[in-house]
Amino acid sequence: MNKDIKIVNNIEEILLKEELSKQDIISLLNANEHEKTSIFAKALQIKREQIGNKVWFRGLIEFSNLCSKNCFYCGIRSGNTNVHRYEVTDNEIIDAVNYAYNNQFGSIVLQAGERTNKSYIQRITDIIRKIKKLSNGELGITLSLGEQTEETYRKWFDAGAHRYLIRIEVSNRELYKKLHPSDNNHIYDKRIEALQLLQKIGYQVGTGVMIGLPFQTIENLAEDLLFFKDFGIDMIGMGPYIEHEDTPLYQYKDTLLSKKERFDLSLKMIAILRIMMKNINIAATTAMQSIDPLGREKALKVGANIIMPNLTPVKYRSDYLLYEDKPCINEEAEECKNCLEARVKMAGDEIAYGEWGDSRYFFNRQKSH
Ligand code: 5AD
Ligand code: SF4
Ligand code: FES
């Protein structure tokens, strides 16, 4: 029998299974150009059945690039002295929030580097309350503010935040250690504990990984997908790792997959995740678009259903460069909105304005507890 045909059958057979094993996922991640079309078609079919053609917007406000951490991959790590540090004022945050509210974005994301001092925590609490008030409780609030104490997570939850994003970055403990300084500030177990605490408190919890990192294997990526499933994660944001000159990992740039390969692997990761976790929220991340101008549309076509338009005031955007070639550095909120509307349409989807777009998976998870 022709060997190629046997492999095609294999992928088709895997796609018929209820549960994917690690070996199945590895086979899917290794699928060739021809085989991957079946994976993408299946993922799109599941998205259409479970979610329809809706895409939800989350207005992203990157309100500060101050960070106490020093992750080896990140352009705004504390050790990078070439970064001009900024902090968006409360009024500017509220302006961006008003833009989101007036334009019927169902929710906003407050994202910043990690800080844990008392006055900062209080400031965030106050901003969350303000946002709830000005939008009559209508705007959903997602936080992406790094590791905090249980008390802080609770405080922000009680103030009105209902989702929290904290990427595991890589689920393999050894690889995590290689990508972070070995100090008390970058502990794998604390990262895991953060996800557990957030779930316990009642947040919808989002996590994610970078794809195509130095030292990362296909097996690691398969483990990442299984990690999301085992953990019962509600939302995922993942995308290609993109090198940044002012980071320690830059020295490995010649060992990386090509950007195109990292992009293709990211699309496969999204598609396989949609097949494994049918009704979670999956973001078409900005990093996808930094490699391929049509990256976010392509992500929507293989299972993603969330887009995070950037609402950070333009004057700060070039200082929030976690990686190279980040798109939308000079575009005002309105331009990105119009641009994304066209992009979503191109992908055959529709923006669901004025809806929170909570992960259905989350409600099922709540019920089963
Ligand atoms: N390439 C891609 N993504 C990155 N992030 C940080 N640095 C990079 C990079 N060089 C991601 C991390 C972090 C999120 C906010 O941005 O996953 O959690
Ligand atoms: Fe800080 Fe996040 Fe960058 Fe790590 S990835 S240095 S926590 S902003
Ligand atoms: Fe920002 Fe297209 S999404 S300009």
Side-chain angles (χ1 to χ4, degrees):
M1 204 162 111
N2 180 316
K3 218 167 136 225
D4 286 348
I5 292 175
K6 191 153 172 266
I7 295 170
V8 171
N9 282 342
N10 189 17
I11 295 289
E12 301 293 341
E13 273 165 32
I14 292 171
L15 290 175
L16 290 174
K17 291 190 176 180
E18 277 296 311
E19 291 272 323
L20 299 182
S21 67
K22 184 162 151 189
Q23 192 47 52
D24 291 335
I25 299 171
I26 291 174
S27 301
L28 295 179
L29 287 170
N30 283 324
N32 66 28
E33 283 300 300
H34 175 68
E35 293 164 335
K36 80 179 184 191
T37 55
S38 307
I39 304 174
F40 292 169
K42 169 102 183 184
L44 183 60
Q45 179 205 334
I46 291 174
K47 173 176 142 168
R48 293 276 179 258
E49 283 166 12
Q50 300 278 332
I51 298 169
N53 63 350
K54 283 187 176 184
V55 170
W56 288 278
F57 270 177
R58 318 273 188 238
L60 176 65
I61 308 169
E62 300 154 330
F63 70 86
S64 175
N65 64 358
L66 286 157
C67 186
S68 56
K69 283 202 169 173
N70 215 1
C71 309
F72 291 158
Y73 41 83
C74 176
I76 64 167
R77 60 202 298 272
S78 57
N80 183 5
T81 50
N82 293 334
V83 180
H84 168 251
R85 302 286 164 176
Y86 73 86
E87 184 132 36
V88 177
T89 65
D90 285 8
N91 282 343
E92 286 170 320
I93 294 178
I94 296 302
D95 285 349
V97 168
N98 272 319
Y99 178 88
Y101 185 50
N102 295 334
N103 284 279
Q104 302 238 3
F105 288 18
S107 55
I108 54 116
V109 183
L110 292 176
Q111 184 172 83
E114 191 171 303
R115 281 149 81 197
T116 52
N117 58 301
K118 225 172 151 193
S119 59
Y120 174 79
I121 288 164
Q122 188 55 46
R123 178 184 173 214
I124 301 298
T125 311
D126 294 342
I127 291 173
I128 295 169
R129 288 212 187 97
K130 253 192 208 159
I131 296 172
K132 277 285 142 189
K133 199 157 169 223
L134 77 82
S135 70
N136 303 312
E138 284 172 31
L139 269 180
I141 302 176
T142 306
L143 303 178
S144 177
L145 303 173
E147 289 165 34
Q148 303 287 342
T149 62
E150 178 169 0
E151 190 194 348
T152 302
Y153 295 137
R154 266 189 208 285
K155 198 167 172 183
W156 290 343
F157 187 76
D158 293 341
H162 82 301
R163 304 186 185 116
Y164 206 105
L165 310 177
I166 188 158
R167 287 187 176 181
I168 189 71
E169 314 295 0
V170 290
S171 64
N172 182 288
R173 182 187 293 272
E174 295 313 311
L175 183 55
Y176 191 93
K177 277 192 197 158
K178 280 193 186 150
L179 303 173
H180 297 93
S182 23
D183 61 24
N184 269 338
N185 222 358
H186 303 80
I187 299 174
Y188 177 81
D189 286 324
K190 262 201 86 184
R191 201 81 177 162
I192 299 279
E193 191 193 26
L195 291 169
Q196 287 165 340
L197 287 172
L198 291 163
Q199 271 187 345
K200 184 176 90 178
I201 292 167
Y203 280 98
Q204 292 177 35
V205 181
T207 192
V209 292
M210 286 171 284
I211 297 158
L213 285 154
F215 321 119
Q216 192 180 42
T217 62
I218 290 288
E219 189 181 351
N220 291 149
L221 292 171
E223 286 165 5
D224 289 340
L225 294 175
L226 288 167
F227 172 87
F228 301 152
K229 176 126 189 168
D230 292 344
F231 219 97
I233 286 295
D234 305 301
M235 321 177 275
I236 293 291
M238 56 186 173
Y241 161 72
I242 301 163
E243 59 273 34
H244 187 296
E245 200 176 354
D246 298 327
T247 61
L249 287 193
Y250 196 68
Q251 62 184 299
Y252 302 107
K253 67 176 194 315
D254 298 329
T255 70
L256 300 172
L257 294 174
S258 71
K259 282 193 177 163
K260 162 107 178 45
E261 286 167 321
R262 277 176 261 166
F263 179 83
D264 288 346
L265 203 47
S266 302
L267 282 183
K268 281 184 184 161
M269 286 285 283
I270 291 174
I272 299 167
L273 180 63
R274 176 58 72 207
I275 292 168
M276 292 171 68
M277 298 186 80
K278 300 186 177 3
N279 56 6
I280 62 168
N281 279 336
I282 305 178
T285 56
T286 312
M288 301 288 292
Q289 194 178 319
S290 66
I291 292 188
D292 182 327
L294 297 179
R296 286 196 267 195
E297 294 87 313
K298 289 183 183 171
L300 294 177
K301 280 199 164 151
V302 301
N305 67 316
I306 300 288
I307 284 196
M308 294 159 71
N310 198 329
L311 300 182
T312 311
V314 168
K315 67 175 175 192
Y316 301 110
R317 287 202 199 171
S318 56
D319 291 321
Y320 202 84
L321 298 185
L322 282 62
Y323 47 82
E324 291 172 353
D325 300 326
K326 196 170 164 214
C328 309
I329 295 304
N330 297 310
E331 280 78 8
E332 294 290 348
E334 188 70 16
E335 287 173 79
C336 282
K337 174 174 169 273
N338 294 337
C339 169
L340 287 171
E341 269 180 6
R343 287 171 182 276
V344 168
K345 228 186 213 156
M346 255 203 292
D349 284 339
E350 205 171 273
I351 298 158
Y353 281 113
E355 293 180 15
W356 277 17
D358 286 326
S359 138
R360 272 184 34 224
Y361 179 86
F362 172 74
F363 294 107
N364 295 345
R365 177 161 74 77
Q366 294 294 94
K367 269 186 251 154
S368 66
H369 276 274

